[in-house]
Amino acid sequence: MGAERQPKDWSSTVALVANLAILVGLVFVIVELRQNQKNLDATVQMSLASAYQEVASRAVENPQFAETIFRMFSTPDSLTEVELVQAINWTSEWAAIVFAASELRATGAISEETWLQHASNFSLFLKDDWFRDFFRAQFAVSYPAEFMAELDSLAAVTQGH
């Protein structure tokens, strides 16, 4: 009798151990997926910050370019064709970063706070009438109307501050 029962107990034990192993494996996979998502989120945020810093530092490290950017707001008619192209390129790069941040926010890859950090800095420029018109003329076809409207809203909020 004891010999007959032993195979059943053995198969039950093996099944229990196999089920526990599967459960432990699932927990491990879930933990790994969460960690991978955190790492991906951190990488995305670092990439955005790096791109933002690269674009912003161009004006800080190059006094002539900083002057061009200043004149873009103060006396835009004084810009040469080369300076205007530089200003368009700089604006385009910055707008692309802000748009990428907007898309990443929509997917949940970055937080609302991170999005606002990128968008608010850019929207400060949109307070300037010339720059806003310039930006719309250059990029209205490049970006969705919702994105442009959101930037306008942020500019209106920052104007009040």
Side-chain angles (χ1 to χ4, degrees), residues 116-133:
L116 284 173
Q117 288 171 344
H118 292 286
S120 294
N121 290 332
F122 185 76
S123 69
L124 287 173
F125 294 127
L126 296 176
K127 292 183 344 183
D128 181 84
D129 291 335
W130 180 88
F131 184 82
R132 188 174 47 257
D133 293 344

Side-chain angles (χ1 to χ4, degrees), residues 17-129:
V17 168
N19 288 336
L20 286 174
I22 290 171
L23 185 60
V24 168
L26 284 173
V27 168
F28 177 75
V29 167
I30 290 170
V31 168
E32 282 296 310
L33 286 174
R34 284 186 180 170
Q35 187 59 44
N36 286 346
Q37 186 62 47
K38 286 179 184 177
N39 290 343
L40 181 61
D41 291 349
T43 300
V44 165
Q45 289 188 20
M46 286 177 58
S47 296
L48 274 175
S50 176
Y52 174 78
Q53 185 175 7
E54 181 183 327
V55 170
S57 69
R58 205 168 312 139
V60 173
E61 295 170 357
N62 183 338
Q64 287 177 320
F65 185 66
E67 182 183 333
T68 298
I69 298 304
F70 175 76
R71 286 190 4 252
M72 181 172 69
F73 293 103
S74 60
T75 54
D77 294 337
S78 71
L79 295 177
T80 66
E81 286 184 34
V82 170
E83 290 170 332
L84 187 58
V85 168
Q86 288 175 330
I88 290 170
N89 287 338
W90 183 75
T91 304
S92 175
E93 289 177 54
W94 202 341
I97 292 166
V98 173
F99 182 68
S102 174
E103 293 291 297
L104 290 168
R105 176 195 55 166
T107 64
I110 64 170
S111 68
E112 184 76 15
E113 182 180 334
T114 300
W115 149 250
L116 284 173
Q117 288 171 344
H118 292 286
S120 294
N121 290 332
F122 185 76
S123 69
L124 287 173
F125 294 127
L126 296 176
K127 292 183 344 183
D128 181 84
D129 291 335

